[in-house]
Amino acid sequence: MAIKLVTTAAELRAEGARLLKEKGGSSLGFVPTMGALHSGHATLARTAVAANDVTAASIFVNPLQFGDAVDLDRYPRTLEADMDLLDAEGVDLVFAPSVEEVYPDGQPLVRVTSGPLGEKWEGASRPGHFDGALTVVAKLLHYALPIGGLPAGSAADGGAAAYRAYFGQKDAQQLALVRRMVADLNFPVEIVAVPTVRAEDGLALSSRNRFLSAEEREAALVLSRALRLLEQRADAHEPLDLPSAVELVRSQPLVELDYFDVVDPRTLEPLAENCQDTPFRGEGLAIIAAKVGPVRLIDNIPLNS
Ligand code: PAF
């Protein structure tokens, strides 16, 4: 196995700098994860490896973003399989810190607040989730910041390596919030969005899919079907007729719809006037969340016309 595992921030810095020097590199790609990796994460890692001289990933189940201790305990921990997957994609370095390493003083007193953008949609049913996620993303991005130890003749000339962090489009609200945090607080990192990876039948890959029974998994397909319906209408410059797509989802008895709307991809504000009976124009994001059996699923699809 070529990949290296480190567990402290100091090791991550030292090893990242050493690898950049060894490879004469001038770019660092960083892929933050909570582990339980699947092909969606493999695509994130592959995209980062293809664009950067050195790629690091983190695996950390962040207690701050779980509202419920049971959910936190239930979250799968599969470090060995995760390392194999990341190694196969060519990732150089994995940072898998303990909770004490990340939060040495217990719960942090000062946190990133996600504001109104973090209170709607997913934030409405998971209060505090995005504050917790943004706080750890801020910390992780700082840990991996490629400063110091850079080789002369490459990035060191300009003072720093290019620094890119990779996030899945599947978690559209998290992506929008990370982009805002990085812009609003001047983080020196480029955020790269990687398109959602789907199973052949259309289901968006998620670590939670493993908790679906066969019957629930079949029922869950209505989410991607309804999104595709909107995509087809947008592509055909037809009215989106969101209510009929909502009806399709509601017709599936095992699916309890939470929200389904078309929003601005940056602000996540509804594009209400674009959803009814006039042809769809411009750029939007169709977002959906539903409970299928015990599992809450989210999905989205970009719309362009
Ligand atoms: O998307 C995730 O896996 C997590 O929210 C992240 C970005 C790794 C922060 O814990």
Side-chain angles (χ1 to χ4, degrees):
M1 200 185 261
I3 196 166
K4 184 157 183 186
L5 174 67
V6 295
T7 56
T8 66
E11 287 172 305
L12 174 68
R13 288 270 179 113
E15 199 50 31
R18 189 190 67 72
L19 281 166
L20 276 166
K21 193 164 187 172
E22 186 181 288
K23 295 193 175 194
S26 60
S27 55
L28 179 80
F30 181 56
V31 185
T33 81
M34 296 208 301
L37 305 183
H38 50 66
S39 333
H41 296 103
T43 304
L44 281 180
R46 202 174 312 136
T47 310
V49 167
N52 296 283
D53 298 315
V54 174
T55 300
S58 63
I59 297 177
F60 178 62
V61 183
N62 173 35
L64 232 54
Q65 68 190 78
F66 287 81
D68 181 340
V70 179
D71 251 13
L72 175 63
D73 286 347
R74 218 168 68 126
Y75 197 88
R77 271 94 167 160
T78 55
L79 183 62
E80 214 168 300
D82 294 346
M83 291 289 291
D84 287 346
L85 178 143
L86 294 170
D87 190 33
E89 295 303 337
V91 170
D92 302 286
L93 187 57
V94 172
F95 176 48
S98 64
V99 173
E100 293 70 33
E101 175 70 16
V102 177
Y103 301 117
D105 301 320
Q107 298 251 336
L109 282 180
V110 177
R111 302 171 188 218
V112 178
T113 50
S114 54
L117 187 51
E119 283 162 14
K120 55 182 99 172
W121 308 122
E122 283 311 286
S125 59
R126 303 174 74 188
H129 166 73
F130 286 118
D131 291 4
L134 284 186
T135 300
V136 85
V137 169
K139 287 175 74 88
L140 293 168
L141 290 176
H142 284 133
Y143 289 140
L145 199 66
I147 51 171
L150 294 173
S154 65
D157 294 338
Y163 184 27
R164 305 184 182 101
Y166 293 76
F167 291 85
Q169 171 65 46
K170 159 120 186 327
D171 291 310
Q173 192 167 5
Q174 172 173 276
L175 175 64
L177 280 161
V178 169
R179 283 194 191 288
R180 280 313 299 246
M181 175 177 76
V182 161
D184 290 351
L185 303 181
N186 302 88
F187 283 39
V189 60
E190 179 191 343
I191 301 301
V192 182
V194 178
T196 303
V197 179
R198 296 178 183 281
E200 261 180 33
D201 57 12
L203 187 70
L205 297 193
S206 159
S207 313
R208 295 175 178 196
N209 292 352
R210 69 185 74 191
F211 300 120
L212 294 168
S213 69
E215 199 190 356
E216 287 158 357
R217 196 188 176 292
E218 183 60 33
L221 294 180
V222 78
L223 273 63
S224 53
R225 281 197 196 116
L227 290 172
R228 286 243 186 269
L229 190 65
L230 294 187
E231 182 186 43
Q232 282 158 8
R233 288 174 183 161
D235 288 350
H237 309 288
E238 286 171 4
L240 291 185
D241 186 13
L242 181 62
S244 71
V246 169
E247 230 10 78
L248 174 70
V249 180
R250 289 203 198 282
S251 69
Q252 174 49 259
L254 292 183
V255 174
E256 195 186 313
L257 185 61
D258 179 357
Y259 60 77
F260 187 9
D261 216 329
V262 177
V263 298
D264 178 296
R266 281 162 289 274
T267 62
L268 303 187
E269 285 299 322
L271 297 174
E273 75 287 0
N274 233 328
C275 297
Q276 303 288 334
D277 41 18
T278 51
F280 180 76
R281 292 268 169 258
E283 205 190 344
L285 186 70
I287 56 172
I288 190 165
K291 217 161 163 221
V292 186
V295 186
R296 183 183 166 79
L297 296 177
I298 58 170
D299 198 355
N300 67 82
I301 213 159
L303 305 176
N304 286 298
S305 180

